[in-house]
Amino acid sequence: MTAARLVVSVCLALGAALVGDGASARTLTFAPRVAANTSPQSTVNWSGYAAVSPTTEAAPPAGSPLTFSDVTGSWTQPKARCVKGRSDAAAFWVGIGGFNEDSSTLQQLGTTTQCSSRGVATYFVWWEIVPAGEVRVPLKVRAGDRVTAAVLVNGSKVTMSIKNATRRTRFSTTVTVSQPLDVSSAEWIAEAPTACTQSGVCEVVPLTNFGSVTFSKAAATANQLSGTITNPAWVATPLQLIPDASVGGLGASPGALSADGRSFRVSSQRVAWQTRTVATAARSMHRVP
């Protein structure tokens, strides 16, 4: 039985974060959902909520599946509780796609806190269009900063926008991609990122103890219909992060949605570990040309 692994065919984008030191250093990246054995709502790397088309459920209704074109959300960057001798990380983001395990793309934008083995925390902003590697955003972010992020998909164009209200800074970029994009879901996620060796083998890293994070002002648009996470046009799916036994560390669980469906809290916590073998979770990631 092994940890969840993602096999990478080429190196990820230059400048990505590193976990570890020297020859053991691994590149930090972010990945589609990897399901755990317990239920479709348990994963080894995501915690939060996903809005998915009803046609992805076991008994799909008649009609065309939803295609999501916009997702937005706000959060306050949590403070990392680093421990000397332990390297870990936690990412907080909004995105479109990547919910289904056979998904080949995921468009996401967010912030990350990363703890070094020296017990030092670093924070950064990034965007990513899987299968390409993450791209750093030249905005400062620190614990306590209030950020709002949005991902917009229009055909082959993806627009990433993020605002740090605390520092009164913002960033936006539009990228044209050649591959088909997964637009079957929208997400608001706290993630245990993935670390990759120089040889291209990746695995989920331990989740940083971030206490809790509250996503607010959550909204999405699909088939020209806009709404909150609880809009009846789609299915609101809570996701619990249960770490693989070989990775260990903390898990994370989402709380209940607010009455208006706009906010919820994710808390890092100790949970029972999973042991699973991943035979179909391989992903190919390529650097953006």
Side-chain angles (χ1 to χ4, degrees):
M1 309 294 277
T2 62
R5 292 182 180 274
L6 305 177
V7 180
V8 178
S9 60
V10 295
C11 294
L12 298 174
L14 296 177
L18 296 178
V19 177
D21 302 307
S24 63
R26 298 176 294 169
T27 303
L28 193 67
T29 188
F30 313 94
R33 181 179 69 99
V34 180
N37 283 338
T38 53
S39 77
Q41 295 183 346
S42 296
T43 83
V44 298
N45 60 336
W46 287 13
S47 181
Y49 277 85
V52 300
S53 173
T55 57
T56 64
E57 300 300 300
S64 301
L66 295 176
T67 57
F68 287 86
S69 58
D70 190 10
V71 62
T72 186
S74 300
W75 63 93
T76 297
Q77 177 63 39
K79 182 178 181 179
R81 303 173 184 179
C82 301
V83 178
K84 285 187 177 181
R86 176 183 171 89
S87 298
D88 48 36
F92 312 95
W93 53 267
V94 299
I96 293 176
F99 177 81
N100 296 314
E101 278 212 289
D102 60 356
S103 173
S104 60
T105 67
L106 166 61
Q107 302 74 242
Q108 53 186 163
L109 169 69
T111 62
T112 290
T113 177
Q114 184 176 349
C115 291
S116 71
S117 59
R118 301 187 304 276
V120 177
T122 58
Y123 302 88
F124 58 92
V125 182
W126 53 274
W127 61 267
E128 185 175 53
I129 302 177
V130 174
E134 58 99 3
V135 178
R136 292 289 187 93
V137 172
L139 289 183
K140 289 184 178 180
V141 65
R142 296 290 184 269
D145 285 2
R146 181 69 176 170
V147 299
T148 298
V151 177
L152 174 66
V153 176
N154 183 9
S156 62
K157 294 184 178 181
V158 182
T159 299
M160 309 279 191
S161 302
I162 190 165
K163 177 177 68 174
N164 186 327
T166 303
R167 299 178 182 274
R168 299 183 180 180
T169 56
R170 63 179 64 220
F171 170 87
S172 182
T173 186
T174 298
V175 180
T176 301
V177 297
S178 58
Q179 78 268 24
L181 297 174
D182 178 7
V183 291
S184 63
S185 60
E187 299 90 20
W188 302 261
I189 298 295
E191 178 183 356
T194 300
C196 302
T197 65
Q198 293 181 352
S199 61
V201 176
C202 303
E203 64 182 2
V204 178
V205 303
L207 183 71
T208 293
N209 182 358
F210 60 85
S212 65
V213 60
T214 297
F215 287 88
S216 62
K217 300 181 180 179
T221 300
N223 294 20
Q224 299 184 335
L225 174 66
S226 297
T228 68
I229 301 175
T230 53
N231 190 294
W234 44 76
V235 178
T237 305
L239 298 166
Q240 182 182 23
L241 192 161
I242 302 178
D244 190 272
S246 63
V247 175
L250 298 175
S253 296
L257 287 162
S258 61
D260 61 5
R262 288 188 176 276
S263 64
F264 65 92
R265 175 178 293 183
V266 176
S267 300
S268 56
Q269 58 190 226
R270 296 199 176 277
V271 296
W273 296 343
Q274 293 294 309
T275 301
R276 71 183 296 253
T277 299
V278 177
T280 61
R283 313 285 183 184
S284 294
M285 299 184 183
H286 305 279
R287 192 170 11 180
V288 176

